[in-house]
């Protein structure tokens, strides 16, 4: 507000106080204007810096060509990787001499590979299959009713695979002799037919006899 001040000796009135108040308002307005301009400059500078920090757009990647190589793979191990189990510890069809097979009466037909290392021997009225197994241990192979024994100094067990009973109508029956080996287990299975086998076979005792004869040529 303007205030008038008049001196009695001088009839002229002055607006000094009002002018001073007005000058103060002008100064305050100028300070606010300078602050606003400074804030605007700071905002523009920050936006410019942020824009300069934006990463460049990725460039096109060259195509990658994959090729096969027979070079051995590198390893950080201090020693080379060595197979701990022989995948072919024993092959009865190849490792047992044929004259031995003939002498034991197992060459009614030539020995024949059935599956993998499983070898089939034919005695006419019964068949014998010999198979080394490296993925299962001896103890894991025995059923609860297995009877353990020793054959030519090697730990072994005999048991029925398909046992004949008075109420079944199966034509074929089989029994097993399993040897404990360093690589797992060596199985010798004997099977026969109650209809076609002539003479009929005592499976457990005949299989034990063949195991006793062949143990000299087995690999443990």
């Amino acid at each position: 507000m303007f205030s008038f001040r008049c001196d009695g000796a001088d009839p002229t009135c002055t607006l000094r106080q009002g002018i001073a108040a007005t000058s103060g308002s002008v100064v305050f307005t100028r300070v606010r204007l300078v602050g606003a301009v400074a804030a605007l400059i700071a905002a523009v500078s920050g936006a410019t810096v942020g824009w300069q920090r934006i990463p460049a757009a990725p460039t096109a990647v060259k195509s990658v060509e994959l090729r096969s190589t027979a070079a051995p793979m590198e390893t950080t191990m201090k020693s080379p990787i060595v197979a701990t189990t022989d995948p072919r510890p024993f092959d009865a069809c190849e490792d047992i001499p044929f004259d031995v097979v003939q002498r034991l009466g197992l060459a009614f037909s030539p020995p024949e590979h059935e599956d993998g290392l499983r070898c089939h021997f034919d005695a006419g009225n019964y068949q014998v299959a010999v198979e080394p197994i490296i993925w299962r241990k001896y103890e894991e192979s025995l059923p609860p009713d297995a009877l353990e024994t020793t054959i030519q100094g090697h730990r072994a067990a005999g048991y029925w695979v398909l046992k004949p009973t008075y109420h079944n109508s199966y034509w074929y029956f089989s029994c097993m002799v399993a040897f404990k080996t360093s690589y797992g287990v060596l199985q010798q299975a004997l099977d026969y037919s109650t209809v076609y086998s002539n003479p009929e076979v005592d499976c457990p005792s005949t299989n034990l006899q063949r195991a006793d004869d062949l143990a000299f040529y087995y690999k443990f």
Side-chain angles (χ1 to χ4, degrees):
M1 296 178 64
F2 295 98
S3 61
F4 294 89
R5 184 178 182 182
C6 299
D7 192 348
D10 187 357
T12 304
C13 297
T14 62
L15 298 175
R16 292 180 180 178
Q17 187 174 358
I19 294 173
T22 304
S23 300
S25 299
V26 172
V27 171
F28 179 72
T29 302
R30 289 179 179 178
V31 171
R32 293 182 59 185
L33 179 61
V34 171
V37 172
L40 178 61
I41 294 174
V44 172
S45 299
T48 304
V49 173
W51 174 79
Q52 292 178 350
R53 292 181 180 178
I54 297 176
T59 57
V61 180
K62 296 182 179 180
S63 60
V64 178
E65 183 179 356
L66 300 179
R67 297 181 180 179
S68 175
T69 175
M73 296 181 63
E74 296 182 357
T75 176
T76 57
M77 298 180 64
K78 295 182 179 180
S79 58
I81 299 175
V82 180
T84 57
T85 304
D86 185 358
R88 185 195 174 281
F90 176 64
D91 188 337
C93 282
E94 298 181 11
D95 296 340
I96 299 178
F98 185 68
D99 61 333
V100 173
V101 177
Q102 286 182 314
R103 178 170 53 83
L104 295 177
L106 298 175
F108 187 82
S109 61
E112 179 183 2
H113 282 105
E114 291 186 339
D115 183 19
L117 297 176
R118 183 181 174 92
C119 182
H120 176 88
F121 297 101
D122 186 3
N125 61 327
Y126 66 89
Q127 285 75 42
V128 173
V130 179
E131 180 181 14
I133 297 177
I134 63 175
W135 45 267
R136 189 175 68 226
K137 296 181 179 180
Y138 167 80
E139 291 78 9
E140 298 172 342
S141 304
L142 305 184
D145 60 344
L147 299 177
E148 294 199 64
T149 184
T150 300
I151 300 176
Q152 298 297 338
H154 301 282
R155 186 177 176 184
Y159 54 92
W160 283 95
V161 178
L162 184 58
K163 184 177 181 178
T165 59
Y166 70 93
H167 62 275
N168 63 30
S169 58
Y170 296 116
W171 283 11
Y172 293 92
F173 303 101
S174 60
C175 56
M176 184 78 72
V177 171
F179 286 95
K180 184 175 183 179
T181 65
S182 60
Y183 49 80
V185 61
L186 179 62
Q187 295 186 159
Q188 176 185 298
L190 186 150
D191 64 275
Y192 71 99
S193 170
T194 57
V195 177
Y196 299 108
S197 295
N198 187 19
E200 194 169 333
V201 182
D202 183 350
C203 192
S205 62
T206 303
N207 204 21
L208 284 173
Q209 182 60 53
R210 293 288 80 85
D212 188 71
D213 297 331
L214 292 169
F216 296 99
Y217 308 96
Y218 288 162
K219 292 183 179 179
F220 299 93

